[in-house]
Amino acid sequence: MVNVTAEIVLFDGFDELDAIGPYEVLENAAHAGASIDTELVALEETDLVTASHDLRVEPDGTLGDPDLLLVPGGGWTSANEGVRAAVEGGALPDAVDERYTNGATVASVCTGAMVLAEAGLLEGRPATTHRVAVDDLEATAANVVDERVVDDGDVLTAGGVTSGIDLGLWLVEREFGASVADEVATKMAHERRGDVFG
């Protein structure tokens, strides 16, 4: 029986590494013995989701009720694309809020924090995002901190694009122990950067 279900929600214009970096970390953790099942999902049934650099991904299914929901960023500075379109459309922030209300831990990478802010999850909380969205995140009720990974219990945020790998490793350490996280980091030849705030 799997102890933790994780879903990474994809949308057109998401940044590839924001989603695939943490996905690879969590999959490697499962191979290292962590009891976690990770899926790439979409809000609605679709054959393919096209990312910001034109990578096309076939989701495993639609968003369920995971223990951990991860939201990538991408496209915040472009009109009608990526996170900007997802925030303005409203469906993704609503879905994130619903999963959080149902007890999911919610995490974001990069400008995915803007989805969490729109969902009302960052009010009064420490949070971080990509530098291009710091001013916008500061304009919400979030307490913006200049950190690579911020852990506020049931809501976590990570800064720039590659920080999703560090976020994934921190989640593995938090849920399954430092030895599993260290094994995954070694396998991926990744030197973890920065302390986790929180």
Side-chain angles (χ1 to χ4, degrees):
M1 181 172 168
V2 174
N3 291 336
V4 176
T5 57
E7 293 184 358
I8 300 171
V9 63
L10 307 181
F11 48 86
D12 283 334
F14 78 91
D15 183 88
E16 286 86 341
L17 191 55
D18 284 4
I20 304 306
Y23 177 83
E24 184 166 338
V25 169
L26 298 177
E27 282 292 298
N28 282 329
H31 291 292
S35 183
I36 186 167
D37 180 55
T38 306
E39 293 188 338
L40 298 170
V41 300
L43 280 182
E44 299 176 351
E45 284 288 343
T46 183
D47 292 334
L48 293 172
V49 179
T50 303
S52 62
H53 296 88
D54 296 325
L55 177 72
R56 297 187 304 162
V57 179
E58 180 181 357
D60 297 310
T62 56
L63 181 61
D65 287 303
D67 300 311
L68 169 65
L69 172 58
L70 191 143
V71 181
W76 180 249
T77 59
S78 304
N80 303 315
E81 292 182 22
V83 170
R84 176 76 63 182
V87 166
E88 291 174 355
L92 181 56
D94 288 348
V96 169
D97 179 47
E98 181 181 343
R99 273 45 179 204
Y100 176 77
T101 299
N102 289 343
T105 294
V106 177
S108 67
V109 179
C110 199
T111 56
M114 299 310 298
V115 174
L116 274 56
E118 183 67 17
L121 304 189
L122 299 183
E123 186 171 343
R125 291 181 181 263
T128 191
T129 189
H130 191 282
R131 60 181 173 74
V132 301
V134 165
D135 290 345
D136 293 322
L137 190 58
E138 285 178 341
T140 72
N143 175 21
V144 179
V145 294
D146 183 19
E147 298 289 345
R148 190 161 176 83
V149 176
V150 176
D151 182 346
D152 197 43
D154 54 3
V155 174
L156 299 92
T157 53
V161 178
T162 60
S163 67
I165 295 171
D166 290 304
L167 171 66
L169 288 166
W170 171 246
L171 286 164
V172 170
E173 179 172 334
R174 191 176 97 162
E175 298 300 320
F176 305 106
S179 62
V180 178
D182 289 344
E183 181 178 338
V184 172
T186 299
K187 179 175 183 170
M188 295 179 69
H190 179 75
E191 185 175 337
R192 295 166 79 174
R193 291 180 49 202
D195 294 327
V196 174
F197 179 89

